[in-house]
């Protein structure tokens, strides 16, 4: 079929934008919306997208909103990854090289986790049949100097691949803690080695990934926010070494620098370190940079869950 005439598309766009009143509304929102609508209308013409397909898309978006899966769609479609790519590019233009790469936050952070000094146990209730994990390190600045009183917020899923708060069967803030670094910038926590998980089966994200010929699964990982006064907030996560999906993450979050080596100690070796059970150990330092109004900010002000609201 012949492509729709460009003049017809342009006339439709002009008709729609003619409803705008000069000096009213938000000019930035107008600019972005009009550009996206123009791109969409031209794509409809280029690809001969039918009315049936457009209404199926509308129904899909409606259902995704009802099931609160837009955050997952942002991850699975690579939007959240591209936000990071753009911010990395902006840092490079400013001459900034991150020693600890940023990577996606994901949709499952909850504000207000219990706060501890130096060390925290992440489990509110013990996870049965889990592999014990101790993770520790130092929060440092650009020059490697330790940062005391930095806040390390950490969260991960249980062995069913579920996160507390979103999973009502877990106690509130299970596997969610905030750790304040000591005078030498050190943090440590005790938990267990998490597992990977997939999007809700049959949900909007899972359905779209299947239609795209892709999977909707993530490798085992642990999320972090790292913040301190005068420093830019760092959003990142580590992957668990050896997970088969480490470099096949549907959310595109894996960075090679964020796959630390995991050491496993036998009971005898563990006793030599003062612990009474075999465990896995990860050592990982976070490097922050000083904040400035000349660089891209570390906080994005996205809407997040909080039990205080």
């Amino acid at each position: 079929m012949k492509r729709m005439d460009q003049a017809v598309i342009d006339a439709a766009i002009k008709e729609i934008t003619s409803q705008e009143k000069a000096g009213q509304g938000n000019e930035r929102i107008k600019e972005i919306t009009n550009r996206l609508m123009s791109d969409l209308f031209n794509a409809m013409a280029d690809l001969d997208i039918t009315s049936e397909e457009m209404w199926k898309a509308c129904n899909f978006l409606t259902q995704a909103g009802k099931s609160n899966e837009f955050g997952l769609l942002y991850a699975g479609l690579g939007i959240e990854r591209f936000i990071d790519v753009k911010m990395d590019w902006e840092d490079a233009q400013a001459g900034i090289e991150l020693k600890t790469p940023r990577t996606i936050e994901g949709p499952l952070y909850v504000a207000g986790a219990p706060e501890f000094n130096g060390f925290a146990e992440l489990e509110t209730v013990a996870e049965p049949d889990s592999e014990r994990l101790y993770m520790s390190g130092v929060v440092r600045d650009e020059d490697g100097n330790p940062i005391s009183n930095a806040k390390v917020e950490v969260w991960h899923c249980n062995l069913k691949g579920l996160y507390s708060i979103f999973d009502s069967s877990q106690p509130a803030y299970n596997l969610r803690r905030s750790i304040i670094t000591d005078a030498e910038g050190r943090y440590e926590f005790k938990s267990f080695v998490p597992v990977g998980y997939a999007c809700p089966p049959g949900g909007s994200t899972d359905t779209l990934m299947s239609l795209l010929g892709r999977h909707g699964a993530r490798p085992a990982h642990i999320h972090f926010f790292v913040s301190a006064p005068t420093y830019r907030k760092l959003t990142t996560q580590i992957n668990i070494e050896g997970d088969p999906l480490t470099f096949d993450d549907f959310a595109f979050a894996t960075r090679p620098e964020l796959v630390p080596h995991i050491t496993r100690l036998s009971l005898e070796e563990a006793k030599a370190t003062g612990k009474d059970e075999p465990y896995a150990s990860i050592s990982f330092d976070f490097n922050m940079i000083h904040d400035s109004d000349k660089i891209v900010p570390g906080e994005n002000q996205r809407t997040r869950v909080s039990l205080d609201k």
Side-chain angles (χ1 to χ4, degrees):
M1 178 182 291
K2 178 184 176 183
R3 185 188 188 275
M4 188 177 187
D5 291 340
Q6 189 64 44
V8 176
I9 300 170
D10 293 343
I13 294 170
K14 184 176 180 180
E15 177 187 8
I16 294 166
T17 57
S18 70
Q19 295 288 333
E20 297 174 2
K21 302 295 190 294
Q24 296 183 23
N26 183 295
E27 294 304 316
R28 179 63 172 165
I29 297 299
K30 290 179 185 179
E31 178 185 32
I32 294 172
T33 301
N34 292 339
R35 168 60 187 270
L36 292 177
M37 289 301 98
S38 176
D39 289 349
L40 174 60
F41 295 167
N42 278 282
M44 290 172 67
D46 291 340
L47 302 175
D48 190 24
I49 301 174
T50 66
S51 61
E52 178 71 11
E53 289 170 325
M54 288 301 297
W55 285 113
K56 283 184 177 180
C58 182
N59 294 339
F60 172 83
L61 292 173
T62 299
Q63 183 56 47
K66 288 180 178 178
S67 58
N68 195 28
E69 287 200 34
F70 276 117
L72 283 175
L73 287 170
Y74 254 52
L77 289 173
I79 296 172
E80 195 169 4
R81 168 59 182 148
F82 187 73
I83 291 171
D84 284 349
V85 169
K86 183 174 182 293
M87 293 170 70
D88 287 347
W89 179 85
E90 291 167 340
D91 277 348
Q93 300 308 300
I96 295 170
E97 181 178 356
L98 300 182
K99 293 182 179 179
T100 303
R102 63 166 57 87
T103 194
I104 72 166
E105 173 185 337
L108 299 170
Y109 170 80
V110 178
E115 191 172 291
F116 296 84
N117 291 318
F119 173 84
E121 292 194 23
L122 303 194
E123 294 170 282
T124 305
V125 293
E127 184 79 15
D129 303 318
S130 60
E131 181 183 16
R132 183 62 47 223
L133 171 68
Y134 286 87
M135 179 168 169
S136 62
V138 178
V139 177
R140 302 182 184 277
D141 66 13
E142 302 98 321
D143 300 316
N145 302 307
I147 304 174
S148 61
N149 295 312
K151 179 187 285 190
V152 179
E153 297 179 78
V154 53
W155 68 101
H156 70 77
C157 67
N158 66 8
L159 290 186
K160 296 179 180 179
L162 301 174
Y163 287 78
S164 63
I165 311 301
F166 299 92
D167 171 29
S168 60
S169 71
Q170 298 182 55
Y173 295 113
N174 186 42
L175 306 176
R176 300 178 184 273
R177 298 290 188 265
S178 295
I179 306 166
I180 306 302
T181 59
D182 65 14
E184 283 75 44
R186 296 175 300 192
Y187 76 91
E188 183 179 14
F189 65 83
K190 174 184 177 183
S191 189
F192 58 86
V193 178
V195 297
Y197 57 85
C199 296
S204 299
T205 310
D206 180 56
T207 297
L208 181 58
M209 293 300 104
S210 295
L211 290 170
L212 293 173
R214 292 159 46 186
H215 67 78
R218 297 215 59 204
H221 59 279
I222 302 174
H223 293 270
F224 297 93
F225 283 158
V226 187
S227 56
T230 75
Y231 291 89
R232 185 172 70 178
K233 180 180 179 181
L234 172 65
T235 299
T236 194
Q237 56 185 271
I238 64 152
N239 288 105
I240 302 302
E241 183 185 49
D243 190 296
L245 289 179
T246 293
F247 293 98
D248 188 20
D249 181 0
F250 104 105
F252 310 102
T254 306
R255 310 271 77 79
E257 304 94 324
L258 299 176
V259 188
H261 178 61
I262 184 166
T263 301
R264 289 179 164 86
L265 287 79
S266 67
L267 177 58
E268 182 177 347
E269 292 169 326
K271 287 181 176 179
T273 68
K275 297 177 174 60
D276 59 2
E277 60 181 337
Y279 66 91
S281 175
I282 293 175
S283 177
F284 190 83
D285 291 352
F286 296 101
N287 285 85
M288 307 183 72
I289 65 171
H290 281 85
D291 206 0
S292 166
D293 58 7
K294 297 180 181 179
I295 63 175
V296 60
E299 181 54 86
N300 54 38
Q301 305 302 326
R302 66 188 284 179
T303 299
R304 300 182 175 97
V305 173
S306 172
L307 296 191
D308 295 333
K309 296 180 180 178

